[in-house]
Amino acid sequence: MQTQEQKFKIIDSTNSEAQRQLKNDNPPTEDFVIRADFQTEGRGQRGHTWTSTNAENLTFSYVFMPEKLEVQNQFLLSQTASTVVADFLVNHGIQNVYVKWPNDVYVGMKKICGMLIENTLSGHYIKNSIIGIGLNINQTLFPANIPNPVSMTQITGVHYDLDEMFCKIMEMLRTELHNISKENIPALKKKYMSKLLGLNKVMIYSSHGKIFKGIIKDVDSHGYITIENADDNTEQTYDFNEVNLIIPEQKKD
Ligand code: BTN
C-alpha cells in the first residue's frame, strides 16, 4: 500500500498543515503524510515548541484514518507510534532505548524523539489521528535551552540519509498502525511496558508543584499512569499533564 506523501522545504508545522488539509472542502479519505525540512512553528506537547535544524532531522505528521478504533482505545496510537520509533532505533544498533510516558522516546536519559498526537473524533470512534513525529537524526549542535537532547548520529557516529530513514520508519508505522486490533492489545501493552522509562525504578517526579520520589507501577488502557510514592508507599493514578518525570541535566557529549 502507498501512502500519499507531501514534502515541504519550509512550513509552520506539519501537524498544522495536516489539520488544514483535513478541513479542506475535499479532504483526503486515506492515510497521508506531511514532511518538512524545516518548521517555523513546530509544536510540542503541553504548548511547548519543537525546534529542529533545517534538513538534519525527520519532522513529519502521519495522518492515520483507522477503520474502527474506539475513542476509549486512543492510547493504542501512542503505544504503537512510540514502540515503532523505539524498534526503529534498536534496528539501527542503538541500545538503552526507552519510551518516556506517554510517548517520548529516550536513549538513556536523553530525548531523541518527541510526538504530538492530535485526534479528531466522530461519535465513539477516532475519525483521524495526526501523529506528529520529530526524530533527531543528524543534528549535532542543539540550542542550550533544550533539555538533554540527543540524535542518532551523536550515538552511532553515522551520518544518515534522511530519505532512506523516512521510508523505513514510514513502512514500520503504516504496518503497525494498520495492525492495531482488539486481539493485539495485550501484546502491545506488554511491549510498551517493557520499554517504559522508570518502570519499577525509583525516580523523581513533580505533580501539582510537589516533588517526590516515585515508582511507576502501571499505565492503563486510557494512558493513565499509576505511581507509587516511594516514601509513604501510597499509589496515585495521574492523567496526562498531571505528573512529570524530572530528568536532571545530563553531561553533554
Ligand atoms: C514534544 O516532545 O513535545 C512533541 C514534539 C513533536 C514534534 C513534531 S515535529 C513534526 C510534528 N509537527 C509539529 O509541529 N510537531 C510535531
Side-chain angles (χ1 to χ4, degrees), residues 38-219:
F38 187 69
Q39 300 184 118
T40 55
E41 287 171 52
R43 294 192 282 118
Q45 290 173 32
R46 309 176 196 218
H48 289 133
T49 52
W50 181 260
T51 42
S52 175
T53 304
N54 183 38
E56 291 202 329
N57 303 314
L58 288 180
T59 46
F60 66 98
S61 301
Y62 184 106
V63 183
F64 175 50
M65 308 211 181
E67 260 174 40
K68 240 182 176 200
L69 180 62
E70 284 161 329
V71 173
Q72 72 220 37
N73 285 330
Q74 57 187 307
F75 189 61
L76 293 173
L77 298 166
S78 285
Q79 287 179 315
T80 303
S82 56
T83 53
V84 160
V85 173
D87 282 347
F88 173 81
L89 296 170
V90 171
N91 291 350
H92 286 84
I94 296 179
Q95 294 172 357
N96 297 321
V97 179
Y98 300 100
V99 174
K100 176 173 167 280
W101 179 81
N103 53 22
D104 287 340
V105 183
Y106 273 61
V107 177
M109 290 294 191
K110 294 188 175 184
K111 181 164 171 171
I112 196 162
C113 176
M115 275 182 212
L116 180 65
I117 301 184
E118 298 179 301
N119 296 328
T120 304
L121 315 181
S122 169
H124 296 297
Y125 294 94
I126 309 281
K127 190 171 171 207
N128 56 60
S129 175
I130 303 175
I131 301 172
I133 297 183
L135 175 59
N136 296 333
I137 307 263
N138 289 323
Q139 188 165 343
T140 52
L141 291 172
F142 290 91
N145 61 338
I146 299 186
N148 302 321
V150 75
S151 68
M152 288 180 71
T153 202
Q154 283 180 318
I155 297 161
T156 63
V158 176
H159 186 273
Y160 297 92
D161 180 306
L162 285 184
D163 289 338
E164 195 186 304
M165 302 304 270
F166 178 66
C167 280
K168 282 192 195 165
I169 202 161
M170 274 293 295
E171 188 51 42
M172 290 173 73
L173 259 181
R174 183 170 31 224
T175 305
E176 294 308 321
L177 286 168
H178 286 275
N179 246 346
I180 292 178
S181 67
K182 283 218 163 74
E183 296 70 53
N184 288 343
I185 292 177
L188 188 53
K189 170 158 184 181
K190 196 168 165 209
K191 187 167 193 180
Y192 179 84
M193 296 306 290
S194 74
K195 295 179 186 293
L196 193 63
L197 185 63
L199 182 69
N200 296 324
K201 289 204 184 86
V202 179
M203 302 197 73
I204 311 291
Y205 295 88
S206 78
S207 175
H208 302 294
K210 290 211 174 83
I211 310 277
F212 64 98
K213 278 192 256 162
I215 304 163
I216 298 178
K217 291 290 166 182
D218 192 28
V219 177

Side-chain angles (χ1 to χ4, degrees), residues 4-24 27-28 32-36 38-43 59-63 116 118 130 132:
Q4 206 228 325
E5 294 174 9
Q6 291 170 58
K7 175 143 182 250
F8 292 81
K9 280 207 169 314
I10 182 164
I11 194 131
D12 52 352
S13 144
T14 56
N15 270 40
S16 303
E17 175 59 22
Q19 277 177 349
R20 287 190 288 270
Q21 296 199 10
L22 288 166
K23 283 189 195 135
N24 277 348
F32 64 99
V33 63
I34 311 283
R35 179 181 163 198
F38 187 69
Q39 300 184 118
T40 55
E41 287 171 52
R43 294 192 282 118
T59 46
F60 66 98
S61 301
Y62 184 106
V63 183
L116 180 65
E118 298 179 301
I130 303 175

